[in-house]
Amino acid sequence: MLQPQFPIPDAEPIVIRGVVFDMDGVLTDTLEFHYQTWQRLADEENIPFDRKANEALRGLSRRDSLMAILGDRMLGEAIVEEMLDRKNRYFLEFIQTMTQDHLLPGVLDLLQELRSDGIRIAIASASQNVDLVTRQLGLTDWVDAITNVYNVPHPKPAPDVFLYAAEQIGLPPHQCIAIEDAESGVKAALDARMWVVGLGPQERVGAAHVILSNLNSVRWKDLLDKIQCCR
Ligand code: G6P
Ligand code: MG
């Protein structure tokens, strides 16, 4: 398994001035919405798909997800585009129903603490719907920058979206903590040389510097202590 990297030498104090959140699975749980919409598309196309297959798509871009579902089925670009659009149409129906009630437990409290501590906040997502979902969740005024993998050359697991988010909030990556729930996202943030908090089971986010099950009741000071202790 990928080992955590330590962004700055042992002797230097760790200074954190920014937090970069992944969105799906960290701020809100859209996994079920993605499952329902991929399942609908797969059923329409007679392609086998289930919840287990959906779990493997966590953190992947829409196109990479479709490629994984299609496996070795070779389809023309126009057909692929149509499927991506159709999947997103189904997904947008779910997004319209989202409100602040869809924030995961602990998120608002943590954002409040970050704000009062002067920490810059960004979202770095694989979702093309990140602006819309952020708005539905009532988070637009809470964040200093919103980026997604379509703003950069390479999607997660490449580090591009985290590097871009750090640039957007004007900080070097080693002064940022990334919070991620996907294996591909943890790899992306580690390769960006950020401090990484992984949310979920060891098998999925074990490479992160700090592993938590979720953000419920997580205090900013405790998180900073855990980061200081992890090297
Ligand atoms: C997130 C989810 C993925 C999803 C991707 C693209 O990172 O974890 O499961 O496929 O975003 O979302 P989009 O809204 O662009 O279809
Ligand atoms: Mg995620």
Side-chain angles (χ1 to χ4, degrees):
M1 181 181 282
L2 187 74
Q3 291 302 309
Q5 303 161 22
F6 296 95
I8 52 176
D10 275 0
E12 290 180 38
I14 301 171
V15 177
I16 301 295
R17 295 168 62 208
V19 175
V20 182
F21 289 89
D22 170 51
M23 181 177 73
D24 295 296
V26 172
L27 299 174
T28 186
D29 193 2
T30 45
L31 194 73
E32 181 63 21
F33 294 166
H34 281 296
Y35 165 65
Q36 299 274 346
T37 50
W38 282 126
Q39 185 71 64
R40 185 169 165 190
L41 183 85
D43 289 349
E44 287 167 353
E45 299 298 327
N46 286 316
I47 299 170
F49 187 71
D50 57 19
R51 284 181 190 279
K52 190 161 172 278
N54 186 63
E55 177 57 39
L57 307 179
R58 196 184 273 262
L60 298 186
S61 71
R62 195 184 313 157
R63 179 174 286 268
D64 287 347
S65 301
L66 180 59
M67 291 305 133
I69 292 169
L70 292 176
D72 52 16
R73 293 172 188 79
M74 301 296 280
L75 300 177
E77 180 55 23
I79 298 174
V80 167
E81 286 288 341
E82 186 281 321
M83 285 184 180
L84 292 171
D85 282 353
R86 193 174 355 142
K87 190 275 178 191
N88 200 46
R89 272 205 316 280
Y90 299 156
F91 188 63
L92 287 173
E93 290 171 18
F94 282 104
I95 292 183
Q96 308 305 333
T97 69
M98 289 179 89
T99 66
Q100 205 162 66
D101 290 345
H102 288 80
L103 280 174
L104 283 168
V107 169
L108 260 192
D109 290 341
L110 182 60
L111 288 173
Q112 241 142 18
E113 289 189 297
L114 295 177
R115 269 270 170 262
S116 46
D117 215 15
I119 300 296
R120 293 182 211 163
I121 303 169
I123 300 177
S125 173
S127 169
Q128 228 168 342
N129 294 302
V130 61
D131 290 287
L132 179 58
V133 174
T134 305
R135 220 169 28 247
Q136 294 289 115
L137 294 171
L139 290 187
T140 310
D141 293 338
W142 286 89
V143 294
D144 302 302
I146 301 175
T147 68
N148 72 60
V149 292
Y150 298 86
N151 299 136
V152 293
H154 306 291
K156 301 172 186 178
D160 304 28
V161 72
F162 284 104
L163 294 172
Y164 187 59
E167 198 180 305
Q168 293 293 300
I169 54 174
L171 296 175
H174 69 263
Q175 291 187 355
C176 298
I177 292 176
I179 308 184
E180 258 293 348
D181 70 308
E183 189 175 359
S184 61
V186 168
K187 179 173 182 344
L190 286 173
D191 286 349
R193 312 292 283 173
M194 289 186 178
W195 298 98
V196 186
V197 175
L199 303 184
Q202 176 79 26
E203 316 83 80
R204 198 171 77 212
V205 296
H209 297 101
V210 171
I211 298 166
L212 302 172
S213 40
N214 53 55
L215 290 178
N216 196 11
S217 303
V218 171
R219 300 277 63 86
W220 174 229
K221 191 189 158 306
D222 297 338
L223 199 54
L224 280 178
D225 286 348
K226 285 197 165 77
I227 292 289
Q228 299 288 346
C229 290
C230 76
R231 67 174 178 188

